[in-house]
Amino acid sequence: MMGTRILGIEISASRISAAGISRGGRRRRLEETFTLELGSSHEPAQAASVLHNRIAALNTPCDQVVLSFNNCLALFQNLVFPFTDLDKIREVAGYELESRLPLSLAEYAWDILPRGPDHKGEQPVMAVLYPLESINSWIHALQEIGLKTAHVHLRPTALASWLARLPVDTDPAPAYVLIDDDCTNLTWMPDGFPACLRCIPVGLGDMLIELQSQGVLPRNNDQEALPDHSKLSMENWTGSPSFQYLLRQIRMTLMTADRHDPPRNLVSLGSLQTRDTLSQALAAGLDLKLLDPWTIQDPSGLLPECPLSCLPAAAAVRGGLDKKELNLLRSTPAHGSESTLFRPHLRFIAVSLAAILICWGGAFGLDIFLHKSRLETLNAKITDTFKQSVPDAPDTVRPVQYTSVIQSRLRALRGDGSGQGRPPASGSRVLETVSRALPSGEGIQITLLAMDGSNVRINGSAPNFKSVDRIKNALENSSLVKTASIDGATVNQDQSGVSFNLRLQLEDAG
């Protein structure tokens, strides 16, 4: 059975690192590695042309490409979902990200990876976002030279995916730093899940430039070549402001992980020249024990065979072999001729649906306007009829009270003069009793007081529900009132107070 050859390509600010890995069944073998220097500024198309010439010189062609980005443009966001199915989480994570981040999700490629084991039906995840324009430009540039991108990773997530598979003898797991020329990656994987993934924009080049300006290192004629720093002491490194900044950023990142078991060991994955005094100074500043990376047993075989400068590219291939790993291509549109096949049909369907929605919305809006106009006309007629029927009614009476006012007037007109329906007390005495029951200084207004024999109905407004209770209790304690009850009390729409309805039954005249 023929194997598959995968080429891992990592894009950094000034170089391309590549690692070719062949896969046959469960066996994986590192075929070749190379690094291409591109200078401080380069376009994807130009870099792809240089890469094409280098790949053409390889003995074995590659079948697919795993792309990895190495810079600090990535965004990380921690989320927690009340279910554990990662496929379902990917379907709804976009809505959660748009509500939390002040950016347009359409401009970013993103995916998620578990941040820990599920707990009580909840799943913590880490969302990783990267500018879509940068990814698309590189994918198109690689397509032009005949390379199809099957997986897109980031250096922090690729390293995390690879490091999660390493057997760790220390407890808790060590923290890993990979010091590059222009940045430093920090990875800490307690329990096999990422607690810290950080790209810090300080690298070896920044520290060396400062040491040159301080006179610790001689200046090179070749401006792009890094000076020889193999003889620097730990004190030389600690004298660099960039080193102190890097130390603070690593310390604060580990603190923000908020774990009860912080790391006690440090593994430096930098170049061979930085594994000695620089790594020792970093471990001493963090108060961690420095472990030799060559003592780590890597079951994939990448660490002993792969140069550390190409290790991120090889780690990206290792993570890209698993379809469940983070892949930023999941949120990007298809690239190639297949993506344009149905575009005219989709455009026609979209325009047709838009036209249907516009017509339906216009008809629905017109119908609402007509019904609203009819309702306003009916309300005006009801108000005019009420004022003609009860001209002495106060202006504060609301339309919902019209029915009760008219009913009370009709009951009063039906009295036959024999004393039936007559109140046991005069209206002035009832009004005096109600006035005494009102708490002073609380701004209580009575909008309606209607009497029907021994039944009295009171409508009004009060500042709050406690005031309504005080009025009701005061009326119950009056010698004139037999019972007092609250028919209803609701908060006004403008939140200015409470509208209430009280019903009283007067004591029979003795």
Side-chain angles (χ1 to χ4, degrees):
M1 182 179 64
M2 297 184 61
T4 302
R5 186 177 182 279
I6 306 173
L7 183 65
I9 301 175
E10 189 193 53
I11 310 299
S12 66
S14 59
R15 70 168 60 89
I16 291 179
S17 301
I21 296 178
S22 61
R23 180 181 63 174
R26 294 185 177 182
R27 297 184 58 186
R28 296 175 178 86
R29 185 176 61 183
L30 184 67
E31 296 286 350
E32 62 262 327
T33 60
F34 60 87
T35 301
L36 300 177
E37 298 294 335
L38 301 175
S40 57
S41 60
H42 60 273
E43 294 295 330
Q46 299 173 349
S49 177
V50 176
L51 179 63
H52 177 64
N53 296 332
R54 181 64 180 82
I55 293 177
L58 299 178
N59 296 327
T60 308
C62 60
D63 300 303
Q64 53 183 280
V65 172
V66 174
L67 191 60
S68 174
F69 288 92
N70 168 28
N71 57 27
C72 299
L73 297 180
L75 300 177
F76 298 89
Q77 178 68 40
N78 292 329
L79 303 171
V80 178
F81 291 90
F83 44 88
T84 59
D85 190 329
L86 290 181
D87 291 332
K88 292 183 179 179
I89 291 177
R90 285 189 177 95
E91 293 178 1
V92 300
Y95 302 103
E96 187 72 15
L97 289 172
E98 285 191 330
S99 65
R100 292 196 179 196
L101 299 177
L103 49 84
S104 173
L105 206 60
E107 299 176 359
Y108 285 81
W110 62 274
D111 199 6
I112 60 170
L113 69 161
R115 192 162 46 92
D118 58 283
H119 178 66
K120 295 181 180 179
E122 294 185 343
Q123 177 63 61
V125 299
M126 177 181 291
V128 183
L129 301 92
Y130 197 82
L132 183 60
E133 181 180 0
S134 179
I135 292 179
N136 283 340
S137 61
W138 276 101
I139 290 178
H140 286 300
L142 294 177
Q143 279 183 345
E144 292 296 324
I145 63 173
L147 296 179
K148 180 180 179 181
T149 303
H151 200 103
V152 174
H153 241 304
L154 298 179
R155 170 185 276 196
T157 57
L159 289 173
S161 173
W162 171 62
L163 294 172
R165 294 176 169 86
L166 295 183
V168 179
D169 297 330
T170 61
D171 187 24
Y176 297 86
V177 291
L178 196 155
I179 306 175
D180 207 345
D181 293 346
D182 54 359
C183 66
T184 299
N185 282 97
L186 171 65
T187 306
W188 184 35
M189 303 283 293
D191 305 323
F193 295 98
C196 293
L197 297 181
R198 178 82 190 277
C199 177
I200 304 172
V202 173
L204 181 62
D206 302 297
M207 290 180 271
L208 294 181
I209 290 175
E210 291 176 350
L211 294 177
Q212 279 184 328
S213 64
Q214 296 173 2
V216 179
L217 286 174
R219 297 184 179 273
N220 289 346
N221 294 328
D222 186 358
Q223 298 295 328
E224 294 188 359
L226 294 179
D228 181 17
H229 49 277
S230 59
K231 298 180 180 180
L232 291 176
S233 65
M234 292 175 57
E235 291 74 14
N236 295 141
W237 293 111
T238 56
S240 168
S242 293
F243 176 86
Q244 296 298 329
Y245 174 80
L246 176 62
L247 196 66
R248 290 194 302 271
Q249 292 298 315
I250 294 177
R251 187 182 295 116
M252 288 189 298
T253 304
L254 294 175
M255 290 175 59
T256 55
D258 194 21
R259 295 288 298 242
H260 67 278
D261 51 349
R264 301 189 184 96
N265 303 296
L266 181 71
V267 177
S268 176
L269 300 175
S271 64
L272 293 176
Q273 292 179 327
T274 62
R275 284 191 307 141
D276 42 13
T277 55
L278 174 56
S279 300
Q280 293 171 15
L282 200 59
L286 297 171
D287 195 21
L288 301 177
K289 179 182 178 181
L290 184 65
L291 300 181
D292 189 348
W294 302 113
T295 62
I296 299 175
Q297 299 297 322
D298 180 10
S300 66
L302 296 181
L303 190 58
E305 299 180 13
C306 183
L308 291 178
S309 59
C310 297
L311 183 59
V317 174
R318 182 63 184 86
L321 297 177
D322 190 347
K323 294 183 179 180
K324 295 183 179 180
E325 293 290 343
L326 182 138
N327 184 5
L328 295 177
L329 279 182
R330 286 192 180 100
S331 59
T332 60
H335 296 275
S337 59
E338 299 87 353
S339 61
T340 62
L341 182 59
F342 296 101
R343 283 183 181 174
H345 304 78
L346 293 176
R347 191 181 302 114
F348 174 79
I349 294 173
V351 172
S352 301
L353 288 176
I356 292 173
L357 290 175
I358 291 174
C359 296
W360 177 81
F364 187 73
L366 179 61
D367 189 59
I368 291 177
F369 174 79
L370 295 176
H371 280 80
K372 187 176 180 181
S373 300
R374 294 170 186 170
L375 181 60
E376 291 175 353
T377 302
L378 290 174
N379 287 336
K381 290 182 180 179
I382 291 172
T383 302
D384 293 338
T385 303
F386 175 79
K387 290 183 178 180
Q388 292 175 6
S389 304
V390 190
D392 57 339
D395 295 334
T396 56
V397 177
R398 292 177 297 175
V400 294
Q401 300 171 332
Y402 289 172
T403 303
S404 59
V405 173
I406 292 176
Q407 287 178 349
S408 63
R409 297 297 177 92
L410 291 175
R411 284 195 293 267
L413 292 175
R414 293 194 190 102
D416 56 3
S418 60
Q420 184 180 0
R422 293 183 181 180
S426 63
S428 59
R429 186 181 175 190
V430 173
L431 184 60
E432 180 182 2
T433 302
V434 173
S435 299
R436 290 178 179 177
L438 299 180
S440 60
E442 292 193 6
I444 297 174
Q445 295 183 356
I446 302 299
T447 57
L448 175 66
L449 193 150
M451 297 178 59
D452 180 18
S454 60
N455 295 321
V456 179
R457 181 176 179 182
I458 301 174
N459 296 348
S461 61
N464 49 55
F465 292 102
K466 291 183 178 180
S467 299
V468 179
D469 286 333
R470 284 196 288 270
I471 298 172
K472 180 245 185 188
N473 294 334
L475 289 172
E476 281 184 335
N477 295 330
S478 173
S479 59
L480 184 62
V481 179
K482 183 178 181 181
T483 60
S485 60
I486 301 174
D487 273 1
T490 58
V491 178
N492 296 331
Q493 293 183 354
D494 57 359
Q495 306 295 322
S496 60
V498 176
S499 297
F500 63 91
N501 301 324
L502 294 177
R503 188 176 298 277
L504 311 179
Q505 186 168 1
L506 305 180
E507 293 284 355
D508 295 331

